[in-house]
Amino acid sequence: QEQLIESGGGLVQAGGSLRLSCADSDDAFSAYAMGWFRQAPGRDREFVAGISWDGDYTVYSDSVKGRFTISRVNAKKTVYLQMHSLKPEDTAVYYCARDGQRGIPGTMITMYRYWGQGTQVTVSS
């Protein structure tokens, strides 16, 4: 059974950094694109970043471009989200997700089949 488990969330001051991790239980991890999404209270879940199966291609939302970096280590079946220069508006529950079919990441929620349970990131001002 596919399982994605996020970790690394927490409370940080504005301007600080955090690194999120997402471990996949499935050996098929290395064949598919991975993505990070987030959902703030009262708002829709939104795309944050995506990475291709081999790590060669990445895509970011405009709101995090230049501050966040997505990466993966296929041998560890893990994807990361390094977050710098955090802002209060980055506060949200962050979810990792695995594409069900493609090796190149999309930005739409419906492209991702498997989801983690989420990890809370809170940025204080």
Side-chain angles (χ1 to χ4, degrees), residues 47-48 60-67:
F47 173 80
V48 174
Y60 299 91
S61 68
D62 288 343
S63 61
V64 308
K65 198 173 297 182
R67 300 188 297 122

Side-chain angles (χ1 to χ4, degrees), residues 86-103:
L86 283 161
K87 306 175 182 180
E89 51 264 44
D90 294 318
T91 295
V93 177
Y94 283 70
Y95 299 88
C96 72
R98 202 188 89 191
D99 194 300
Q101 295 181 339
R102 289 160 286 262

Side-chain angles (χ1 to χ4, degrees), residues 24-69:
D24 193 336
S25 63
D26 193 340
D27 289 340
F29 171 84
S30 61
Y32 297 103
M34 296 293 296
W36 285 97
F37 290 76
R38 68 186 181 186
Q39 187 166 17
R43 303 189 66 174
D44 292 336
R45 192 170 299 188
E46 64 175 2
F47 173 80
V48 174
I51 189 167
S52 62
W53 68 277
D54 58 359
D56 283 352
Y57 173 76
T58 57
V59 58
Y60 299 91
S61 68
D62 288 343
S63 61
V64 308
K65 198 173 297 182
R67 300 188 297 122
F68 291 10
T69 302

Side-chain angles (χ1 to χ4, degrees), residues 3 5 8 18-21 23 27 45-48 57 72 79 89 97 99 125:
Q3 272 194 312
I5 301 176
L18 279 176
R19 189 177 83 154
L20 306 183
S21 300
D27 289 340
R45 192 170 299 188
E46 64 175 2
F47 173 80
V48 174
Y57 173 76
R72 66 191 295 162
V79 62
E89 51 264 44
D99 194 300
S125 57

